Amino acid sequence: MPSQRKKGRAVTRSDRHEHTPARYGRTFAIGVTLNVGFVIIEAFYGWHTQSLALLADAGHNLSDVAGLLLAWAAVGAARLRPNVRHTYGWRRGSILASFANAIILLLAMGSLGWEAIQRLQTPADIEANTVMVVAGIGVLINAATAALFMAGSKTDLNIRGAFLHMAADALVSVGVVISGALYLWQGWTWIDPVVSLVIAVVIVIGTWSLFYRSLHLLFDGVPESIDLNAVRDCLLALPDVADLHDLHVWAMATNENALTAHLVLKGGTVQTRGLLEQARENLHELFEIRHVTLQVETADQAVLCPAMHCS
């Protein structure tokens, strides 16, 4: 196959099947270990100091451990080879993990908001110095873990789910530090639940995109990074292609997209091998679509396509 130039190097057939980097296995292991240890510390001191913010954050951190494990399992599932029962393998597990992580985050923030409202009705004193120290440790741990996932979050929705979990935890911990400082400064017993409530709202707003995008992909929606009209124009611009129909683009995983289409050829004899190779290279280079299935047919054959399936 002819190679193509991309980012200063040749892109070959092997490049088209590079998926989630293996290094994320170690990243998930580090993230899970750090957060399990911190949950234990935070829960103990939250109970000892009667801080709702610390206890709520410990519960949220525990849900994030579950979220990390879920995302980690999805990365592992994506590496399982296809078989006669699962011809695409288990790649879609990453989309399911993204959706589940969004649900976990939304439920955790709903619980945090409810507890904050309850505490507003019965404010309580807290040991602010201890709370601030423990929360400060949480900021460092969660921010460091989020940084490990930052690069991958830009291209992989499953990794983005893990990143949002850790970034949300870091934000909650920052809020706990602020509420402790304000309590020491003004003695406001209501500041702890108010800050928790504000942070819950901020995180819900930030999580909504993950929820919507993963739900969209679960129902085979066109990935938001792909313009379907641009894909259509790309295929129609190929030599000897007169028309196309049954164009479908969907996500096989959070970092892999697939395409199927019927290409209607112009009259005369056409060397389809070169045409298909060019189509695949263009789709990979312009849209990062790695899995392409194209059927070529004449205008007479295209007429036979059932109307309900044509597009």
Side-chain angles (χ1 to χ4, degrees):
M1 175 184 292
S3 64
Q4 61 194 61
R5 302 300 299 179
K6 188 174 182 183
K7 296 183 180 179
R9 67 178 181 86
V11 178
T12 62
R13 183 185 298 270
S14 63
D15 292 317
R16 302 179 184 197
H17 296 281
E18 291 178 357
H19 306 309
T20 304
R23 65 184 177 85
Y24 280 111
R26 177 176 296 180
T27 300
F28 278 114
I30 294 172
V32 168
T33 301
L34 288 175
N35 280 271
V36 166
F38 183 62
V39 163
I40 296 172
I41 295 172
E42 195 170 31
F44 172 79
Y45 281 103
W47 169 78
H48 182 71
T49 62
Q50 294 298 303
S51 169
L52 172 64
L54 276 184
L55 288 172
D57 193 29
H60 180 215
N61 266 293
L62 186 60
S63 72
D64 283 347
V65 171
L68 285 176
L69 290 172
L70 187 63
W72 191 1
V75 170
R79 295 181 186 146
L80 296 177
R81 290 183 175 275
N83 55 42
V84 294
R85 297 292 295 171
H86 299 91
T87 56
Y88 273 133
W90 296 81
R91 293 182 176 91
R92 179 151 292 208
S94 60
I95 300 177
L96 288 169
S98 302
F99 181 71
N101 269 325
I103 295 296
I104 290 172
L105 265 172
L106 292 174
L107 290 176
M109 290 303 99
S111 176
L112 174 58
W114 175 256
E115 290 297 327
I117 292 172
Q118 296 298 310
R119 181 61 68 90
L120 274 173
Q121 300 175 9
T122 55
D125 294 329
I126 60 173
E127 294 182 20
N129 289 321
T130 303
V131 168
M132 291 173 64
V133 170
V134 175
I137 296 173
V139 172
L140 296 176
I141 291 177
N142 292 313
T145 307
L148 295 175
F149 293 105
M150 183 177 294
S153 70
K154 299 175 183 178
T155 56
D156 189 322
L157 200 62
N158 184 40
I159 301 300
R160 179 171 177 77
F163 168 76
L164 283 177
H165 271 290
M166 295 300 97
D169 271 347
L171 183 60
V172 171
S173 295
V174 168
V176 174
V177 173
I178 292 174
S179 65
L182 290 174
Y183 176 81
L184 286 176
W185 178 38
Q186 295 289 342
W188 294 334
T189 56
W190 51 264
I191 194 64
D192 185 63
V194 166
V195 170
S196 299
L197 188 60
V198 170
I199 290 173
V201 172
V202 171
I203 293 174
V204 166
I205 294 173
T207 304
W208 187 254
S209 173
L210 177 66
F211 171 77
Y212 171 79
R213 290 171 62 189
S214 57
L215 182 62
H216 177 72
L217 295 183
L218 278 176
F219 285 91
D220 291 328
V222 178
E224 65 175 20
S225 61
I226 295 177
D227 183 342
L228 193 63
N229 289 326
V231 172
R232 183 185 300 275
D233 292 342
C234 172
L235 292 173
L236 288 174
L238 293 168
D240 300 310
V241 174
D243 198 3
L244 65 86
H245 62 90
D246 280 293
L247 172 61
H248 303 286
V249 179
W250 73 98
M252 296 175 61
T254 51
N255 63 340
E256 293 182 68
N257 299 319
L259 174 148
T260 61
H262 291 217
L263 303 181
V264 182
L265 303 180
K266 298 176 182 178
T269 303
V270 176
Q271 293 293 329
T272 58
R273 180 175 179 178
L275 173 67
L276 295 177
E277 292 293 337
Q278 183 176 350
R280 291 191 183 98
E281 289 186 3
N282 290 349
L283 291 169
H284 178 241
E285 180 177 9
L286 298 176
F287 305 103
E288 285 296 329
I289 299 176
R290 295 183 175 91
H291 299 269
V292 176
T293 303
L294 298 172
Q295 177 174 319
V296 293
E297 56 196 27
T298 64
D300 291 338
Q301 293 170 328
V303 172
L304 301 176
C305 174
M308 67 177 293
H309 296 300
C310 294
S311 59

